[in-house]
Amino acid sequence: MDKKFVMGIVLLIFLGIVIGCSKDVQEDKRDEKSPQQDMEESQKEKDPIQEKIQEMTVEEKVGQMVMVGLEGHSLDEHVQEMIENHYVGGFILFSKNIENPQQLVNLTDDLKNANGKNSIPLFLSIDEEGGRVSRMPPEFKKLPPNGAIGKKNDPMLSHEIGRTIAKQIKSLGFNMDFAPVLDINSNPNNPVIGDRSFSSDEKIVSELGIQTMKGIQSENILSVVKHFPGHGDTDVDSHLGLPLVNKDIDELMELELLPFKKAIDNGADTVMVAHILYDKIDPQHPATLSKPIIQGILREQLGFNGLIITDDMTMGAIMENYDIGEAAIQSIKAGSDIVLVCHEYENEVKVLDALKNAVENGEIPEDRIDQSLYRILKIKKDYGLADEKIEDIEIDKINREMGRILENF
């Protein structure tokens, strides 16, 4: 055999071994990771919220997706049951629950204390808009309605009002405010909005509404903008019946939806959906039960990724037209994250049982409620919610701030 040929073969084998070893070394180096890289990848893989969700029962998950009201000025057996057996995610209080500041602090403290065995803190919410929608005890000074604020049209003043409202309710144990109203007062026959709206001008509503929202958020209070997609052009009070708005999506995008879109672009993290039938968009369901409105418009077209809460499901718009349990199921299927049930223990139990059964029988997939649950737990974590007692109400200090604001009117 030719020596040159043999030497060539040997050289090729040698080069193959060298290249192969070099490749193995390079791959070994790529496989080597610093402790920092290992830790970062481990943190990415371990999402504490997902881990918490995996530990929860169906009852616990469904409970977090329901906020309820209560009767009287203190806890009773029904409230205890809502917390201990149904694991509700939060409470909303009304004037009927409030006598004076100290009683109110005792009540919010008692709710937190009752929830102590649960690892997830409560939403404690209230409608505090100013004007005629105010639940505050008489010891606090009263702010003017949004309509009067709109006439001043001062964004800095609106921010200060939002911040002061947040300080006020925080001092009483709340962590969520169903405000501001982003409805445009476009219908003079509207029986429910009126001066709760900043203006009939969408630019004023948008700018002042966003500043009020940011003022509320600046005190680490959740601001729930409402009433999506817009309650301004209705002539029926949804507390009593189901309003009908005969507008299509293009018409809504030209007016009613503009403040909500701008608020979303400016950091809105919670939206309340209204009980209004938009028959050109969904002739069968009001907005609170409508997938084309909640999923199609709010989520997809407006790009909202935050928390969606229904208006009170015990209002006439729902109770006069639907079974409340079935309505709650439809609302969750449509894309709502939290169902609000403000009145009567029997209604609260009916909603909780209906949702639990719908998950267990497969009508609502469990991964669907896990999506909502993730948003709920994340926002509670982001806002640092905790079931801590209130130490000082600071009525005089807050009233002084209110007084400075009232000098502008």
Side-chain angles (χ1 to χ4, degrees):
M1 185 179 290
D2 187 358
K3 285 184 178 181
K4 287 183 178 180
F5 178 75
V6 172
M7 289 297 291
I9 295 293
V10 171
L11 181 61
L12 286 171
I13 293 170
F14 175 74
L15 288 171
I17 292 170
V18 170
I19 292 168
C21 289
S22 173
K23 186 178 179 183
D24 288 343
V25 170
Q26 288 174 353
E27 286 179 351
D28 287 342
K29 284 184 177 178
R30 281 199 298 269
D31 290 339
E32 289 176 7
K33 293 170 186 167
S34 69
Q36 178 67 24
Q37 288 174 314
D38 281 336
M39 186 176 72
E40 287 175 357
E41 291 197 6
S42 175
Q43 287 174 342
K44 286 179 183 176
E45 290 169 5
K46 291 182 179 179
D47 182 336
I49 297 176
Q50 289 287 11
E51 289 182 339
K52 177 63 181 174
I53 290 171
Q54 290 170 9
E55 297 170 359
M56 294 172 71
T57 65
V58 170
E59 288 90 346
E60 290 171 324
K61 291 179 179 181
V62 166
Q64 284 296 310
M65 297 174 70
V66 179
M67 287 179 65
V68 299
L70 60 132
E71 302 300 322
H73 302 120
S74 58
L75 272 63
D76 59 20
E77 67 276 11
H78 290 159
V79 175
Q80 295 283 358
E81 184 182 340
M82 283 293 130
I83 293 172
E84 295 173 10
N85 298 337
H86 293 289
Y87 314 99
V88 290
F91 288 85
I92 181 169
L93 302 187
F94 294 90
S95 298
K96 67 179 181 179
N97 306 121
I98 299 168
E99 285 183 312
N100 57 65
Q102 191 56 58
Q103 169 270 329
L104 182 51
V105 167
N106 292 342
L107 176 54
T108 56
D109 280 347
D110 288 346
L111 287 168
K112 295 171 188 176
N113 186 57
N115 194 58
K117 294 179 182 178
N118 297 333
S119 60
I120 303 170
L122 293 167
F123 286 127
L124 291 176
S125 67
I126 195 164
D127 287 299
E128 190 57 33
E129 302 172 10
R132 57 193 162 99
V133 180
S134 173
R135 319 297 189 197
M136 291 294 98
E139 287 81 357
F140 286 99
K141 291 184 177 181
K142 301 299 181 186
L143 288 171
N146 288 335
I149 297 166
K151 288 176 182 176
K152 291 290 180 183
N153 195 17
D154 182 343
M156 290 181 65
L157 178 62
S158 289
H159 188 281
E160 186 64 15
I161 288 171
R163 189 178 68 85
T164 304
I165 288 173
K167 282 186 173 183
Q168 185 182 46
I169 69 170
K170 182 195 282 188
S171 75
L172 297 165
F174 295 97
N175 51 40
M176 176 184 280
D177 187 12
F178 286 102
V181 168
L182 294 186
D183 303 311
I184 300 167
N185 191 26
S186 57
N187 186 342
N189 296 319
N190 193 316
V192 67
I193 299 301
D195 66 358
R196 294 171 67 191
S197 169
F198 288 102
S199 176
S200 58
D201 183 332
E202 71 82 10
K203 291 180 181 177
I204 293 175
V205 173
S206 297
E207 186 167 25
L208 301 190
I210 287 167
Q211 288 306 315
T212 303
M213 175 189 80
K214 287 185 174 182
I216 294 170
Q217 292 172 335
S218 72
E219 289 295 320
N220 207 46
I221 296 292
L222 280 106
S223 166
V224 184
V225 299
K226 61 187 186 183
H227 306 80
F228 182 87
H231 213 311
D233 191 20
T234 60
D235 54 13
V236 172
D237 183 347
S238 53
H239 293 87
L240 305 175
L242 180 60
L244 169 67
V245 174
N246 191 239
K247 289 186 175 182
D248 60 25
I249 180 61
D250 292 333
E251 291 173 294
L252 291 179
M253 288 295 282
E254 289 174 1
L255 188 66
E256 281 86 354
L257 293 176
L258 292 175
F260 292 98
K261 173 59 177 169
K262 290 176 183 176
I264 290 165
D265 292 343
N266 280 273
D269 44 33
T270 316
V271 172
M272 172 182 273
V273 180
H275 305 310
I276 303 171
L277 184 68
Y278 295 85
D279 61 344
K280 289 186 177 179
I281 300 171
D282 186 342
Q284 295 183 311
H285 304 106
T288 36
L289 316 184
S290 172
K291 191 168 185 177
I293 291 175
I294 295 175
Q295 189 64 38
I297 297 175
L298 184 51
R299 289 283 188 220
E300 294 172 9
Q301 289 192 246
L302 302 190
F304 181 63
N305 296 314
L307 202 61
I308 297 174
I309 304 179
T310 72
D311 207 340
D312 174 22
M313 300 295 273
T314 66
M315 289 163 62
I318 297 299
M319 296 291 285
E320 296 295 322
N321 297 284
Y322 304 91
D323 173 86
I324 192 171
E326 289 301 316
I329 292 169
Q330 178 58 35
S331 185
I332 298 301
K333 288 165 71 173
S336 297
D337 298 309
I338 293 177
V339 174
L340 188 61
V341 190
C342 296
H343 303 289
E344 296 186 22
Y345 168 77
E346 291 76 14
N347 290 324
E348 297 163 2
V349 171
K350 193 169 185 180
V351 165
L352 286 157
D353 287 347
L355 291 175
K356 176 177 174 288
N357 292 336
V359 175
E360 290 179 340
N361 67 25
E363 184 177 357
I364 301 176
E366 193 163 352
D367 63 356
R368 162 67 194 90
I369 65 169
D370 287 353
Q371 293 168 12
S372 288
L373 194 58
Y374 193 95
R375 282 188 280 268
I376 293 165
L377 298 187
K378 185 176 187 303
I379 206 164
K380 287 187 173 184
K381 180 175 180 289
D382 289 348
Y383 273 79
L385 266 60
D387 290 329
E388 296 175 349
K389 292 186 71 173
I390 295 297
E391 300 297 332
D392 188 6
I393 306 176
E394 297 186 323
I395 298 173
D396 292 339
K397 181 180 178 182
I398 292 167
N399 275 338
R400 284 195 297 272
E401 294 188 25
M402 293 275 197
R404 286 193 289 271
I405 289 170
L406 291 170
E407 289 174 0
N408 293 278
F409 295 90

